């Protein structure tokens, strides 16, 4: 169990209202709380950011990027649930991470991510559960300087995976999600400065 509480920022790499990955992210946030951590779920649809363009950046950091940077700075870990688009992470996730990776005021490039922990999950209505994008997402997070937990969770057939209260119908998959959330809570509690 955790020996001190560290905060996990939880979000999905999909903006759509009925996103299966938002459902999975919300469930992950609940499980982190149940397992002794502290989690904040945010919906990236509430923070629309322009497609990254250095000309826009030169004019000033967009307001929603600044908001997201402030939120991320208050957390010591992230749990990201992302669909795969054509076997890759989504443009929303890549764009968000690119904006957050930029230097801003006193924070150097990648400075926001340094020393933070990351866990990745993915849901898809198809049979493969977005499994092709998970290692690519892990690689990107590692490139950004996050410490990425192994064994990301993929959730295939996600359209029928959740019950009415938002839990997973399949107990074994629920246990895998719990194991990942528990690892995140534990490493964050035991490996912070
Ligand atoms: C552009 C695009 C590409 C997609 N490519 C894949 C894919 O490679 N593998 C897959 O399992 N699903 C793919 N899908 C289907 C998504 O998994 C599905 O739309 C899913 O519900 C999106 O996640 P969300 O429910 O969190 O929005 C794709 C969807 C879109 C829009």
């Amino acid at each position: 169990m955790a020996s001190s509480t560290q905060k996990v920022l939880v979000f999905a790499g999909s903006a759509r209202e009925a996103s299966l990955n938002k459902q999975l992210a919300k469930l992950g946030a609940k499980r982190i709380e149940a397992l002794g951590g502290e989690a904040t779920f945010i919906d990236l649809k509430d923070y629309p950011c322009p497609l990254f363009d250095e000309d826009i950046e030169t004019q000033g950091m967009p307001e929603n990027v600044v908001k997201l940077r402030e939120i991320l700075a208050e957390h010591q870990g992230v749990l990201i649930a992302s669909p795969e688009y054509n076997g890759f992470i989504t443009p929303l996730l890549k764009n968000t991470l690119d904006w957050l990776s930029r230097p801003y005021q006193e924070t150097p490039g990648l400075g926001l991510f340094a020393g933070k922990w990351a866990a990745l999950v993915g849901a898809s209505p198809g049979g493969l559960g977005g499994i092709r994008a998970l290692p690519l997402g892990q690689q990107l997070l590692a490139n950004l300087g996050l410490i990425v937990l192994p064994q990301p969770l993929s959730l295939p057939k996600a359209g029928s995976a959740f019950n009415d209260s938002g839990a997973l119908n399949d107990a074994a998959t629920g246990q895998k999600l719990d194991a990942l959330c528990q690892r995140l809570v534990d490493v964050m509690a035991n490996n912070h400065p």
Side-chain angles (χ1 to χ4, degrees), residues 11-14 21-22 24-25 80-85 88-94 120-124 129-130 133-134 137 153:
F11 59 93
S14 168
N21 285 277
K22 279 190 210 172
L24 184 56
I80 300 172
S82 184
E84 74 173 23
Y85 282 179
F88 219 83
I89 63 162
T90 61
L92 173 65
L93 179 57
K94 180 70 164 59
L120 192 59
V121 296
S124 163
L134 289 172
L153 176 83

